[in-house]
Amino acid sequence: MNFISLLSYTYGGGFAWLKDVYDVLPPILYSILAVVGAAGIVYSIVLGVNLAKSENDEKRKAAISRLRNTIIGVGVLLVLVLFINLGIPAILHAAFPEYVT
């Protein structure tokens, strides 16, 4: 028994429409995460190079600020995608065990 099989729920009653949503949504969200994560990594590398080449404190502060914001943005996206794909079904299963099995 693996981790993914623990999170495969059967939705019934008023939550039956979630089966269709969770058949389509996770692959889309993981694809978006891969694309944005790759772009964030490339942008972070570019900002790191800009930080290393910065000539004065003003440019250095701007590069650090952008780098920090990029890392926070990619991290928040990762947390949201994992919460939507893994957290919400688990919460629904805990709250409504008779409809989500």
Side-chain angles (χ1 to χ4, degrees):
M1 198 172 206
N2 59 17
F3 179 71
I4 299 299
S5 68
L6 292 173
L7 296 173
S8 59
Y9 297 110
T10 305
Y11 301 98
F15 296 105
W17 60 275
L18 284 173
K19 180 188 180 312
D20 296 331
V21 171
Y22 276 101
D23 285 343
V24 175
L25 189 63
I28 293 171
L29 289 177
Y30 287 134
S31 300
I32 291 171
L33 178 64
V35 170
V36 173
I41 289 170
V42 170
Y43 189 57
S44 295
I45 291 170
V46 169
L47 288 174
V49 170
N50 286 345
L51 178 63
K53 289 184 173 182
S54 61
E55 298 156 354
N56 57 23
D57 270 350
E58 187 176 313
K59 288 183 180 180
R60 190 172 296 119
K61 286 181 183 179
I64 288 173
S65 174
R66 286 182 182 170
L67 185 60
R68 184 180 333 118
N69 291 339
T70 301
I71 292 170
I72 290 171
V74 171
V76 167
L77 177 69
L78 174 67
V79 168
L80 286 175
V81 167
L82 290 176
F83 179 72
I84 290 171
N85 285 335
L86 305 175
I88 291 178
I91 291 170
L92 288 174
H93 175 67
F96 304 104
E98 65 274 4
Y99 295 116
V100 183
T101 57

